[in-house]
Amino acid sequence: MKLSGAEILWECVVREGVEVVFGYPGGANMPLYDAMLNYPIHHVLVRHEQGGAHMADGFARASGKVGVAMATSGPGATNLVTGIATAMMDSIPVVFITGQVAAHLIGGDAFQEVDVTGITLPITKHNYLITRADEIAEAVREAFYIARSGRPGPVLIDICKNAQIEKTEFEYPETVKLPGYQPVDHAPKESLARALQLIEKARRPIILCGHGALMSGAEEALMNFAVKTQTPVASTLLGLGAFPASHPLSLGMMGMHGEVHTNLAIQNSDLILAFGMRFDDRVTGTLKTYAPRAKKIHVEIDPSEVHKNVAVDVPLVGDLKTVLADLIPLVDEYDHDEWLQEISGWKAEADARSIMNWPEDDKLYVAHLISDIWRATDGNAIIATDVGQHQMWTAQYYALEKPNRWLTSGGAGTMGFGLPAAIGAWFAHKNEEIWAIAGDGGFQMTQAELSTAVQEGANVKIAIMNNSFLGMVRQWQEFFFEKRYSAVNMRSPDFVKIAEAHGIPARRVTQRSEVAEAIAWARQTPGAVLLEFRVEQEDAVYPMVPAGAALDQMIQRPVKELASRRNP
Amino acid sequence: MNYTFIALVENKPGVLNRVASLFRRRNFNIESLAVGRTEKPDISRMTVVVDCPNGDLDAHKIEANLYKLVNVIDVQDVTNQPSVTRDLALIKVMVGPEKRAEVNSLADIFRARIVDVAADSVIVEITGTEDKIEGMIELLRPLGIVEMVRTGRVAMTRGVNDGVRRVPGANGSLWREDDESGLAEY
Ligand SMILES: Cc1ncc(C[n+]2csc(CCOP(=O)(O)OP(=O)(O)O)c2C)c(N)n1
């Protein structure tokens, strides 16, 4: 059967189970858009390609499936770049499909010609430049396979216009032939044996749970391992949700804005079990003094992460779920009571400084608001955040019980991620409650997607934590630049009016007493709703490990008068 | 210290660019890189010499990162394996007829050849280890070298010895040319 390249693309994309695509048309992808009309694809017309990229990313994070985003050549494709890098840094499976000028024009600086495969080479797991229709089927098949297997990541397919139009014989490739690409699942037996020896000797072990635990679907195995060996579990920012926050072995988040007892536990451990995490500088602090007495076992699917930042004693290269399944029957049961008690002691000290104990002063603190939303939603909502202080407070106070409900840009820290990611997640879980939490700065970076949300009827609740500052940068200037505020003061538009101009019901909240009612109202009102919270302007996120400091050199929460705070 | 790697890669457009871009991106210092065809039309072979200040740790990093490229099939480190390594140089020397004999006798000693003779210059072709070529260059320099080109090192292990493959379980160490596991199915 002869089909056009564009038709072949959709034949293959539909066979991958794709139902929704986020994109933006233009000259170089018009044949793709024309052919799309004949296939069961719901296309979401975004307002900026970056928004489309984040939506596909949010869809992928929430669904565990591959997201798809499209753009035209030149500026369309370059607008995707931030979104591609965001997906790359967090290992998110997204297939990006861009139009390219006709093959015979390539290299001639034709209208809207940009070297997209060149630009995206270092920010994709793999990419393709397609110049002929008969290359499309194989490329699409491979792209989806590469995106979702091994360590997942974004793959880009740049398709020349002539290849979209040309007709060729279509035969669906049943297998992919990639001699150089064979992700492994099982770690070698000898390495498992060495790991077991370390586990047996450990008296103060700790699990560092990363995003890999979620990507691998290893939540249950993680629970079994932790409980059987009575090993406490600390999470990276992206690992949150893999282990239930309320579990007695849960230590919450580690790192720069991790809890004091969590970081102390890492520093004082004698065995680190790093599960699907990559010792990013935001979780280790300075490497010179990092967990000095700990042996290290690193379970990691990407061999290039092993020894990258921290040299480890036993690398277990493989899929976390598989490796844990191999390991669990071999480990003995342990109790580490003494160690767990020691950590509890640190925790009690940290708890005394909890912001929940702050006196009631009728100001709005983001941490309290997050806790309020958490309570109202029973900790069950899908939460997308933007980047900044509110992101850290959300990580600290929206205690996640379940996996894949936490969408945040960790590796790249991309402002503007929150709203579009929430919209993308809605396409994966239309019956779930979804909240986008953003700062006044980041929200304005992709604010245009409000319009997409309305056009699609996306039911997302938006909370803007408006402190009239680029809060996180302000905090750094306060702490490390003698409070010399430079370019952080931000005057924003009237967010309520902006929402209403889009037909989105909205409220501004300035008093503590209005909070509970406003959250309830947002939850009851159907469709997209926006709440703007006028929060304390110069609040700071604690604890904090200054960049380059040791993990246990934290700036702690200030002890405020412990007048018991009225429950909100 | 310099390490020598042999990488087998799929013979596809852009693969050399991917490898070069990776080395730049990860801040590895390439001393030389030679690419060419192999006995199999769909596979190219690269010999890459890289400065590894942290020794084996860097070597591991390089191998593991190369495997992140989908088109890279196999990587071995042959630095400490018994192997044959060769570099080829073409050296143009400014000499008239009166000094040709001198160049000729030097070439003889190094088993090099004069491959072109013009009115006032000759081109010497020399193949060998880098040391040998450096030696020849030093002796030719006083005569007036005006142009030189070198291929960079190519290497092949002796006998049936393979190089070291450090990345446990990585795709390359599973790869055998007669192996069907090259077909990933899902
Ligand atoms: C695209 C982008 N530009 C700049 C930054 C640097 N940056 C990190 S946090 C931050 C401030 C964010 O301010 P806001 O969105 O108001 O959130 P807040 O920190 O106040 O919660 C900035 C500018 C970034 N992460 N991403």
Side-chain angles (χ1 to χ4, degrees):
Chain A
M1 184 182 33
K2 281 207 168 197
L3 295 179
S4 73
E7 289 168 324
I8 291 174
L9 176 93
W10 294 116
E11 288 285 340
C12 297
V13 166
V14 167
R15 279 179 174 79
E16 296 293 341
V18 174
E19 290 165 0
V20 58
V21 167
F22 306 89
Y24 213 96
N29 64 5
M30 286 183 65
L32 300 182
Y33 271 91
D34 182 67
M36 184 180 75
L37 293 175
N38 299 333
Y39 290 86
I41 293 282
H42 177 76
H43 181 267
V44 179
L45 179 61
V46 300
R47 296 302 184 266
H48 185 293
E49 288 86 351
Q50 182 188 348
H54 293 327
M55 285 181 210
D57 176 322
F59 173 87
R61 290 183 203 236
S63 66
K65 297 180 193 158
V66 179
V68 180
M70 283 172 74
T72 189
S73 67
T78 54
N79 272 352
L80 288 175
V81 166
T82 301
I84 300 174
T86 304
M88 182 68 175
M89 293 295 276
D90 288 349
S91 309
I92 307 300
V94 180
V95 169
F96 292 94
I97 300 164
T98 48
Q100 181 55 279
V101 301
H104 73 277
L105 295 176
I106 281 193
D109 301 322
F111 177 64
Q112 294 195 328
E113 184 201 350
V114 164
D115 174 13
V116 174
T117 39
I119 288 175
T120 59
L121 195 68
I123 53 166
T124 50
K125 187 171 171 185
H126 193 55
N127 64 18
Y128 296 86
L129 172 62
I130 303 294
T131 56
R132 298 196 322 257
D134 63 8
E135 298 166 344
I136 292 179
E138 202 173 279
V140 175
R141 186 86 163 90
E142 289 179 10
F144 277 84
Y145 174 58
I146 291 169
R148 77 173 133 234
S149 57
R151 177 181 182 174
V155 179
L156 180 138
I157 312 174
D158 196 29
I159 311 179
C160 289
K161 197 164 178 183
N162 60 294
Q164 301 171 27
I165 297 165
E166 281 161 19
K167 289 196 178 236
T168 186
E169 205 58 45
F170 171 59
E171 201 187 320
Y172 188 65
E174 288 306 326
T175 59
V176 279
K177 186 167 190 283
L178 293 166
Y181 179 77
Q182 297 167 34
V184 285
D185 288 339
H186 294 274
K189 288 228 162 53
E190 316 80 70
S191 308
L192 289 180
R194 281 168 55 216
L196 284 170
Q197 285 172 1
L198 293 185
I199 293 170
E200 196 183 331
K201 286 205 198 98
R203 295 292 166 269
R204 305 155 76 84
I206 184 168
I207 292 169
L208 307 187
C209 160
H211 196 198
L214 296 157
M215 305 295 316
S216 154
E219 299 87 357
E220 202 185 315
L222 171 66
M223 174 64 79
N224 292 340
F225 183 91
V227 170
K228 188 167 181 189
T229 59
Q230 283 298 298
T231 307
V233 181
S235 278
T236 66
L237 176 67
L238 288 184
L240 292 170
F243 194 78
S246 62
H247 195 280
L249 287 170
S250 169
L251 297 182
M253 186 167 72
M254 66 179 110
M256 182 173 271
H257 292 296
E259 292 305 318
V260 173
H261 63 279
T262 316
N263 288 344
L264 284 177
I266 294 171
Q267 287 302 83
N268 289 286
S269 64
D270 65 2
L271 176 66
I272 281 179
L273 295 137
F275 288 173
M277 56 84 74
R278 59 186 173 86
F279 295 103
D280 179 84
D281 55 85
R282 285 295 188 267
V283 305
T284 60
T286 178
L287 292 172
K288 285 192 211 105
T289 51
Y290 182 66
R293 288 171 295 278
K295 297 268 183 213
K296 294 164 190 95
I297 297 171
H298 194 180
V299 188
E300 169 57 52
I301 196 154
D302 177 355
S304 78
E305 290 297 347
V306 172
H307 306 311
K308 184 179 84 176
N309 298 329
V310 171
V312 296
D313 300 280
V314 181
L316 297 173
V317 173
D319 167 57
L320 180 61
K321 185 177 172 179
T322 312
V323 172
L324 287 181
D326 291 345
L327 209 51
I328 289 168
L330 306 177
V331 289
D332 293 329
E333 288 180 27
Y334 299 98
D335 71 72
H336 293 295
D337 287 349
E338 244 173 79
W339 170 228
L340 293 173
Q341 256 161 33
E342 193 171 351
I343 298 173
S344 297
W346 293 324
K347 184 168 189 301
E349 269 173 55
D351 281 351
R353 293 167 180 262
S354 165
I355 184 164
M356 304 322 281
N357 292 329
W358 281 22
E360 187 68 72
D361 56 8
D362 209 41
K363 285 184 180 159
L364 296 185
Y365 296 101
V366 179
H368 291 169
L369 295 169
I370 298 300
S371 175
D372 295 337
I373 294 172
W374 173 76
R375 206 181 315 253
T377 57
D378 290 327
N380 271 328
I382 293 173
I383 301 288
T385 76
D386 219 85
V387 168
Q389 291 184 312
H390 67 278
Q391 176 189 30
M392 293 300 122
W393 278 312
T394 311
Q396 292 175 340
Y397 292 99
Y398 200 97
L400 288 157
E401 294 299 311
K402 293 189 199 158
N404 303 327
R405 334 204 106 225
W406 173 237
L407 321 179
T408 199
S409 166
T414 304
M415 285 171 70
F417 177 80
L419 173 63
I423 297 171
W426 179 75
F427 284 94
H429 297 288
K430 292 196 175 169
N431 296 322
E432 306 248 8
E433 184 165 351
I434 301 173
W435 282 76
I437 317 271
D440 45 324
F443 180 75
Q444 291 182 72
M445 285 203 172
T446 49
Q447 175 178 289
E449 304 307 337
L450 283 178
S451 170
T452 312
V454 173
Q455 183 167 346
E456 294 293 331
N459 182 10
V460 293
K461 311 303 175 194
I462 303 157
I464 301 179
M465 303 297 173
N466 186 356
N467 51 14
S468 305
F469 275 113
L470 295 175
M472 187 57 97
V473 178
R474 187 210 60 73
Q475 177 174 344
W476 281 53
Q477 290 176 351
E478 177 189 334
F479 286 13
F480 313 119
F481 292 87
E482 299 159 352
K483 214 170 178 181
R484 284 157 55 86
Y485 289 168
S486 176
V488 289
N489 204 307
M490 183 170 270
R491 195 155 126 204
S492 295
D494 182 330
F495 287 119
V496 172
K497 281 197 180 139
I498 293 258
E500 285 169 357
H502 288 87
I504 294 177
R507 277 194 195 177
R508 177 172 303 115
V509 181
T510 56
Q511 316 268 318
R512 179 89 233 133
S513 52
E514 303 165 342
V515 173
E517 208 272 317
I519 292 174
W521 171 78
R523 301 185 67 220
Q524 283 150 17
T525 308
V529 177
L530 185 145
L531 297 177
E532 180 201 356
F533 294 98
R534 286 294 177 91
V535 299
E536 169 64 5
Q537 293 196 358
E538 300 186 58
D539 197 1
V541 182
Y542 300 101
M544 177 170 192
V545 181
L551 199 53
D552 46 9
Q553 307 282 296
M554 285 156 285
I555 306 174
Q556 298 216 28
R557 287 194 184 95
V559 189
K560 297 241 172 168
E561 211 185 317
L562 289 185
S564 71
R565 181 175 163 263
R566 211 165 12 94
N567 230 1
Chain B
M1 169 181 178
N2 281 350
Y3 277 63
T4 306
F5 300 92
I6 295 172
L8 298 182
V9 303
E10 284 183 86
N11 182 9
K12 288 191 171 167
V15 176
L16 175 59
N17 181 31
R18 286 177 198 279
V19 171
S21 168
L22 170 99
F23 279 87
R24 176 195 56 77
R25 153 98 175 85
R26 298 286 174 189
N27 219 356
F28 302 135
N29 231 334
I30 303 185
E31 297 288 334
S32 83
L33 191 158
V35 203
R37 295 169 190 229
T38 63
E39 70 283 8
K40 296 189 201 70
D42 48 351
I43 290 177
S44 304
R45 175 166 168 140
M46 299 186 176
T47 308
V48 197
V49 182
V50 193
D51 181 27
C52 295
N54 303 311
D56 286 0
L57 210 58
D58 284 348
H60 169 271
K61 231 173 234 184
I62 288 164
E63 288 173 40
N65 273 287
L66 279 168
Y67 280 122
K68 280 175 82 109
L69 301 179
V70 166
N71 305 120
V72 170
I73 298 167
D74 183 43
V75 186
Q76 342 168 9
D77 169 6
V78 299
T79 312
N80 295 317
Q81 294 302 307
S83 49
V84 179
T85 64
R86 287 291 179 270
D87 192 359
L88 182 148
L90 296 176
I91 307 164
K92 190 182 283 176
V93 189
M94 265 333 237
V95 285
E98 69 289 353
K99 289 218 165 171
R100 260 180 224 148
E102 192 175 331
V103 176
N104 219 345
S105 63
L106 275 176
D108 272 351
I109 298 170
F110 282 93
R111 296 199 197 180
R113 294 192 299 152
I114 293 182
V115 290
D116 181 64
V117 179
D120 48 9
S121 70
V122 296
I123 298 177
V124 182
E125 176 197 307
I126 175 166
T127 311
T129 61
E130 280 109 329
D131 283 353
K132 174 176 156 189
I133 293 177
E134 299 298 337
M136 169 120 208
I137 292 168
E138 279 323 302
L139 293 173
L140 286 177
R141 205 181 289 283
L143 296 171
I145 296 176
V146 287
E147 206 179 325
M148 181 173 82
V149 57
R150 291 171 69 164
T151 56
R153 185 186 299 179
V154 293
M156 188 177 278
T157 54
R158 292 179 190 275
V160 291
N161 293 317
D162 269 2
V164 179
R165 291 184 176 90
R166 279 190 186 76
V167 178
N171 31 27
S173 55
L174 299 177
W175 184 77
R176 299 283 175 277
E177 54 185 82
D178 53 349
D179 185 358
E180 280 300 298
S181 71
L183 286 176
E185 289 187 45
Y186 77 111

